[in-house]
Amino acid sequence: MYKAKAYAAAGATTPLAAATITRRDPAEHDVQIEILFCGICHSDLHQVRNEWKDVMPTVYPCVPGHEIVGRVARVGSAVTRFKPGDIAAVGCMVDSDRTCAECQAGLEQFCPNMTLTYNFPDKRASPENPGAVTYGGYSDSIVVDERFVLQVPRNLDPAGAAPLLCAGITTYSPMRHWGVTKGKKVGVAGLGGLGHMAVKFAHALGAHVVVFTTSPGKKDDARRLGADEVVVSRNADEMQKHADSFDFILDAVAANHDIDAFIQLLRRDGNMTLVGAPDKPLAVSGFGLIFKRRSLSGSPIGGIPQTQEMLNFCGEHNIIADVEVIPVQKVNEAYDRLLKSDVKYRFSIDMASLKAE
Ligand code: NAP
Ligand code: ZN
């Protein structure tokens, strides 16, 4: 075991603050990574504040962070794909059983024995530490099994690449699943961290992209990011112009909102996929789905092979997140700004700032 520096929340209403945690030494298949950048996902905020208590209650202290890019520091004796000095990445998962049908299919996100990167029972914790949970990327280092470590294309800036590990894969995966391609009309609701990645991907895949935003001030940015049209979703007339026309809508809104208003915009057999995860149930009109055989679905993160595919796609298309790089000491302020939709379009923590703690 060794000591690592981190930023942790001690409780649901306590600001994050500097903390010391223990990490395991790398075993034969493990990679120890010195973390360079970690993105701030809205899921970090939901969990730090225990907003998902009914589904996955938060265990404190909580060290969030699942958008991790860093430099390999040490590798175990059996590691073949990484060596010290390599740039490597870790996303939302750090383990799974590798034997179930989901793992065999490369869909580790559905494995019943999967381990999330933070706030999850840690099967690899030491016997002296029963009940320990995993600690995420708001830290100066992390130790992860090689199977859950990703390769980052060399042309991608590490600060902007970090958010690809959650915001990237969570939007890329359902777009691939639902066949977003040239000729499709695709909507993206909520221009935040996930939403802005969705716009970049849908544009790169050749779709006609329409952004739905509650922030009229984001219109120019939406177009710059790749949108063909921008709709202010609180304007019913603007919405009505797009009735019955979308093949696919990705909803990346972090708060409770009217999803029926978007379902009405789908064409026959159109699909809307939720990736945004508000804490309260959302109301859906059955008729909105029935009359046009529309469907509503959800999608969690993405499997490891597809995460690597997404990173390679980003390498080929030169896609990274638009980031505001902050020192870790500004994390609490960043959370407050997230709640005001005041981020362009992802905070990325420069972990070198943790040295000052
Ligand atoms: P974010 O950066 O805070 O973006 C959320 C966006 O939602 C905001 O920028 C805003 O966009 C819109 N919005 C906020 N409040 C709203 C309201 N009251 N009504 C309508 N729109 C509102 O969050 P994020 O990191 O992209 O995450 C988005 C959601 O996805 C979160 O709930 C997060 O937990 C979830 N998530 C899910 C997965 C998964 O696996 N499914 C993975 C990661 C994150 P506009 O200003 O454009 O309106
Ligand atoms: Zn996330």
Side-chain angles (χ1 to χ4, degrees):
M1 306 290 276
Y2 71 97
K3 302 261 185 242
K5 286 185 175 183
Y7 243 56
T13 55
T14 325
L16 288 105
T20 301
I21 55 172
T22 47
R23 301 271 195 199
R24 67 174 187 267
D25 287 312
E28 34 165 10
H29 293 284
D30 285 338
V31 178
Q32 181 182 335
I33 297 167
E34 177 208 343
I35 301 176
L36 298 174
F37 293 94
C38 183
I40 297 182
C41 179
H42 206 112
S43 303
D44 301 348
L45 188 158
H46 288 308
Q47 289 185 81
V48 159
R49 301 193 177 174
N50 206 12
E51 289 173 0
W52 291 346
K53 54 180 170 306
D54 299 335
V55 189
M56 38 188 347
T58 304
V59 177
Y60 297 97
C62 171
V63 177
H66 55 207
E67 295 186 335
I68 300 165
V69 168
R71 189 177 291 113
V72 174
R74 285 197 283 173
V75 295
S77 57
V79 169
T80 55
R81 289 167 46 243
F82 297 93
K83 58 179 190 321
D86 287 351
I87 297 296
V90 177
C92 303
M93 301 178 285
V94 289
D95 209 352
S96 69
D97 65 25
R98 299 120 200 261
T99 52
C100 73
E102 308 290 12
C103 287
Q104 300 287 320
L107 297 170
E108 298 87 351
Q109 73 272 37
F110 302 114
C111 167
N113 301 304
M114 177 266 282
T115 303
L116 290 172
T117 304
Y118 67 85
N119 191 41
F120 214 79
D122 187 0
K123 294 195 281 285
R124 303 285 303 273
S126 67
E128 307 87 68
N129 210 0
V133 293
T134 48
Y135 291 136
Y138 296 11
S139 176
D140 56 5
S141 83
I142 193 165
V143 176
V144 179
D145 188 295
E146 153 175 61
R147 195 178 193 278
F148 287 81
V149 182
L150 287 307
Q151 270 148 348
V152 181
R154 296 165 83 95
N155 58 320
L156 300 183
D157 168 64
L164 300 176
L165 278 299
C166 175
I169 183 61
T170 302
T171 52
Y172 181 87
S173 182
M175 288 205 194
R176 286 306 219 191
H177 181 78
W178 290 98
V180 169
T181 51
K182 198 169 163 51
K184 301 279 172 151
K185 184 171 174 182
V186 171
V188 175
L191 196 63
L194 267 60
H196 96 291
M197 289 311 311
V199 172
K200 292 188 186 209
F201 288 137
H203 177 74
L205 292 167
H208 181 88
V209 188
V210 181
V211 163
F212 298 102
T213 181
T214 59
S215 310
K218 291 182 183 173
K219 278 189 163 186
D220 289 346
D221 280 348
R223 289 211 174 76
R224 176 181 56 77
L225 292 164
D228 299 287
E229 298 178 68
V230 189
V231 172
V232 175
S233 52
R234 290 190 171 133
N235 182 326
D237 292 340
E238 274 190 55
M239 292 285 278
Q240 190 51 36
K241 284 187 196 138
H242 291 271
D244 304 331
S245 67
F246 283 87
D247 295 286
F248 178 73
I249 298 178
L250 191 80
D251 184 329
V253 173
N256 295 324
H257 62 291
D258 176 10
I259 59 169
D260 264 338
F262 294 118
I263 291 173
Q264 299 301 332
L265 307 186
L266 294 170
R267 59 189 299 164
R268 170 175 53 76
D269 290 326
N271 170 268
M272 172 149 128
T273 292
L274 296 177
V275 288
D279 51 344
K280 302 260 171 8
L282 299 161
V284 183
S285 150
F287 290 111
L289 295 172
I290 291 167
F291 285 148
K292 290 204 176 280
R293 203 163 54 191
R294 296 160 171 145
S295 64
L296 172 66
S297 55
S299 185
I301 52 177
I304 294 297
Q306 196 175 42
T307 304
Q308 191 61 61
E309 175 193 310
M310 177 274 311
L311 285 167
N312 297 346
F313 181 89
C314 289
E316 279 156 34
H317 294 263
N318 256 311
I319 293 175
I320 52 170
D322 284 27
V323 289
E324 178 177 340
V325 176
I326 58 162
V328 72
Q329 292 80 3
K330 290 235 160 127
V331 158
N332 296 300
E333 196 182 301
Y335 278 22
D336 290 340
R337 286 180 54 197
L338 263 193
L339 288 174
K340 294 184 211 145
S341 304
D342 175 24
V343 51
K344 291 188 171 175
Y345 277 89
R346 199 60 147 183
F347 293 112
S348 185
I349 307 168
D350 181 352
M351 236 19 106
S353 58
L354 202 49
K355 291 193 172 72
E357 296 292 340

